Amino acid sequence: QVQLVESGGGLVQAGGSLRLSCAASLNTFSRYDMGWYRQAPEKQRERELVAAIGAGGLIDYADSVKGRFTISRDNAKNTVYLQMNFLEPEDTAVYYCNARHIFLRDQNYWGQGTQVTVSS
């Protein structure tokens, strides 16, 4: 059974930093596109893409986090990271890790989420 386990969330003051990690129990982690999504409390039906890193290393960010967040992956550790700097109250959300196979697109997995709260 595939598991994605996020960690690193918590409470931080505005301007602070957090580093999220997502450890994946995937036999072929390097063949998965990885992404971080978030869902804010007032947007229960909307899960937005924060950052993505493809199997080939291509990276994309939401405009709202460009210059503040950095996504990276370590294929040897089956782990993807999200370094979040200069956090703002608007970044408060549950952050989810996603893994999707580059060819078998129905192999699409989600973690359980980790709460990030930024106080003003």
Side-chain angles (χ1 to χ4, degrees):
Q1 183 177 359
V2 174
Q3 283 189 315
L4 303 180
V5 180
E6 300 104 334
S7 61
L11 174 64
V12 65
Q13 288 188 333
S17 299
L18 285 173
R19 188 192 195 204
L20 305 184
S21 299
C22 171
S25 63
L26 295 166
N27 290 330
T28 55
F29 179 80
S30 62
R31 296 182 184 178
Y32 283 79
D33 295 328
M34 302 298 297
W36 286 98
Y37 290 74
R38 67 186 180 187
Q39 191 167 23
E42 69 276 12
K43 300 181 180 179
Q44 289 301 309
R45 294 185 180 180
E46 180 180 342
R47 188 175 291 187
E48 64 170 344
L49 176 67
V50 175
I53 183 166
L58 188 64
I59 289 175
D60 191 26
Y61 295 101
D63 287 342
S64 59
V65 307
K66 284 180 180 177
R68 301 188 297 123
F69 291 9
T70 302
I71 190 171
S72 61
R73 66 189 294 163
D74 186 336
N75 288 344
K77 295 182 178 179
N78 281 21
T79 301
V80 62
Y81 304 96
L82 185 67
Q83 178 66 45
M84 306 186 295
N85 298 327
F86 304 108
L87 283 161
E88 304 168 352
E90 292 74 22
D91 297 317
T92 295
V94 178
Y95 284 70
Y96 296 90
C97 177
N98 174 260
R100 194 173 189 188
H101 197 279
I102 57 174
F103 299 122
L104 306 173
R105 302 304 274 173
D106 59 327
Q107 291 189 10
N108 185 26
Y109 306 108
W110 293 90
Q112 82 287 351
T114 185
Q115 176 70 46
V116 171
T117 303
V118 184
S119 63
S120 57

